[in-house]
Amino acid sequence: MKFLAVTLIVHRPDPVTGVRKPTRDRFREALDNALLAEELGFDGFGVGERHEWPFLSSSPPVVLSHIAALTRRIRLFTAVTTLSLLDPVRAYEDYATLDHLSSGRLELIIGKGNGTAQRDLFHVTPDDQWERNAESYEVFRRIWRQDKVTADTRFRPPLKDAEVWPRPYQRPVRVWHGSATSTESVELAARHGDPLFSANVTHPIEPYAELIRHYRERWEHHGHDPADLAVGAGTAGLYVARTSQEALAAYRPVFESTLAFQKEAGLPVVFPTLEDFVERSSALVGSPQQVVDKVHRYHEHFGHSVLHVQADAGGLAPDRHRASLELFQSAVAPVLRREIPDPPFPWAPVGPEPGPESLPR
């Protein structure tokens, strides 16, 4: 199994202290978290894309390019690239550039995205968002693979023998399809033989497990080998401590503050107590053995080979956050790496080996 640390660069006040950091400091924190993830041995670091409050992650290629310059080994993910909102030509140019700057460490997780405010900002409607997402991905995918592209598009000017530069380093880049409960994302992933990444954050396990079962069915329907299928899954929170009592005590203020924010914002409350949250959500809060057991329970339903955890402290004191990540990597990850298979493809860069002219890593 492989492990990612992921951030959406949320910029609301700290859920425990009530203090909101300056924007520059919040970006610096995201960079520091990427460095920490590489130091501790995570396999990837992901930056989300949102175009509405309270997120600062509107430009993942810029943030990931900075991280690429600061790191050497860790793979760089988007989580997710909201292709329904983007011009696929411009998105290709950004990510092909990042592909070279990182010497082939880039992977994309794409998705429709959500949120009324960002749809309104880009003049995307609930009626056309899925068609936009599919068209953008089809064009993006073809540009990555073909030197010249002709496409009769609906949502951007048509392309005729278009050449887009730079040509990519990885041929092709790996693209995952991020999905919460949408069969549209699943169908797009299965049709192209691409891996699926389940959000697995907001609800109990059942809707996510059902969607992954549907993905497996559609994968085989489109004639792909089941042995080549790969699934990733998110988590709703992380705090690993030596004992369950210690973990619950440390995480309770974070949960209660987040619960209060949900109620104040009028968001639906799915898990009303910390105990319910730990039991029925995908959150990994407990002793190392409890976390290992819970990941195995989810793996029985998902068959996933990649897991993402929260890169941010999320209200935990910095020393506690680091201690939790260190314990995860020393006492949880090694067990899961032994007991759950890796994805059925190489994790190293899939493009050519860097030549003398390549950028330093």
Side-chain angles (χ1 to χ4, degrees):
M1 177 168 258
K2 299 295 186 182
F3 301 97
L4 316 181
V6 173
T7 180
L8 283 169
I9 320 184
V10 179
H11 196 224
R12 67 180 179 90
D14 183 283
V16 175
T17 67
V19 175
R20 187 169 71 172
K21 296 179 179 180
T23 298
R24 181 183 179 278
D25 292 354
R26 188 65 187 91
F27 277 122
R28 182 68 249 179
E29 189 175 60
L31 300 176
D32 290 343
N33 286 335
L35 290 171
L36 178 61
E38 178 164 85
E39 175 191 337
L40 296 181
F42 280 88
D43 303 291
F45 188 86
V47 175
E49 180 178 337
R50 297 292 289 271
H51 299 271
E52 58 186 329
W53 183 89
F55 305 98
L56 299 178
S57 52
S58 58
S59 186
V62 176
V63 178
L64 288 171
S65 290
H66 196 147
I67 293 171
L70 297 174
T71 58
R72 299 179 60 83
R73 176 197 57 80
I74 199 165
R75 292 190 67 73
L76 307 173
F77 282 73
T78 62
V80 301
T81 297
T82 53
L83 277 182
S84 66
L85 310 179
L86 306 178
D87 183 320
V89 175
R90 190 71 185 99
Y92 166 83
E93 291 173 333
D94 285 341
Y95 285 112
T97 300
L98 173 55
D99 191 36
H100 282 279
L101 293 175
S102 66
S103 295
R105 287 186 283 148
L106 173 66
E107 297 200 25
L108 298 174
I109 306 175
I110 68 164
K112 165 189 70 68
N114 54 23
T116 301
Q118 61 181 10
R119 280 201 307 265
D120 291 346
L121 186 65
F122 288 90
H123 298 282
V124 173
T125 71
D127 294 331
D128 67 19
Q129 59 187 346
W130 289 112
E131 294 175 76
R132 287 177 178 271
N133 185 64
E135 178 182 288
S136 288
Y137 180 53
E138 298 284 354
V139 173
F140 182 94
R141 179 184 175 89
R142 289 179 59 191
I143 294 173
W144 204 284
R145 287 163 170 77
Q146 301 172 18
D147 291 337
K148 293 185 178 182
V149 172
T150 297
D152 186 14
T153 50
R154 287 182 56 201
F155 300 107
R156 60 145 288 125
L159 301 172
K160 183 173 177 58
D161 291 331
E163 299 181 55
V164 188
W165 301 93
R167 300 312 301 148
Y169 180 87
Q170 297 184 82
R171 296 179 181 265
V173 70
R174 184 174 298 115
V175 177
W176 302 69
H177 294 248
S179 178
T181 56
S182 58
T183 56
E184 289 89 345
S185 291
V186 163
E187 177 62 28
L188 193 62
R191 184 165 74 246
H192 287 294
D194 294 330
L196 182 74
F197 218 107
S198 172
N200 189 38
V201 169
T202 308
H203 304 288
I205 194 171
E206 289 81 8
Y208 304 114
E210 175 58 33
L211 203 69
I212 291 170
R213 286 193 291 269
H214 180 65
Y215 168 64
R216 293 179 182 277
E217 292 170 1
R218 298 306 297 169
W219 179 276
E220 294 193 36
H221 171 81
H222 287 290
H224 304 300
D225 186 342
D228 295 333
L229 181 147
V231 172
T235 56
L238 174 71
Y239 189 71
V240 190
R242 292 296 175 186
T243 68
S244 60
Q245 294 83 357
E246 181 186 345
L248 289 173
Y251 202 80
R252 190 174 298 278
V254 175
F255 173 81
E256 291 179 348
S257 297
T258 302
L259 182 65
F261 174 80
Q262 290 174 336
K263 292 178 177 178
E264 182 181 348
L267 300 172
V269 174
V270 180
F271 309 105
T273 67
L274 174 60
E275 288 72 18
D276 185 47
F277 178 67
V278 172
E279 173 62 28
R280 293 196 304 122
S281 84
S282 61
L284 303 177
V285 178
S287 68
Q289 188 59 54
Q290 286 174 313
V291 171
V292 167
D293 292 344
K294 190 167 191 179
V295 173
H296 270 293
R297 175 157 59 89
Y298 271 75
H299 182 262
E300 289 174 4
H301 291 272
F302 293 173
H304 57 308
S305 53
V306 179
L307 181 77
H308 89 50
V309 301
Q310 185 175 327
D312 302 310
L316 292 166
D319 58 339
R320 281 186 164 175
H321 176 56
R322 182 182 179 109
S324 170
L325 293 178
E326 288 176 341
L327 190 55
F328 179 87
Q329 282 293 0
S330 65
V332 175
V335 178
L336 295 174
R337 289 186 196 278
R338 289 195 305 268
E339 297 177 350
I340 296 178
D342 283 346
F345 39 70
W347 198 257
V350 297
E353 289 297 319
E357 75 285 356
S358 297
L359 292 170
R361 293 177 61 182

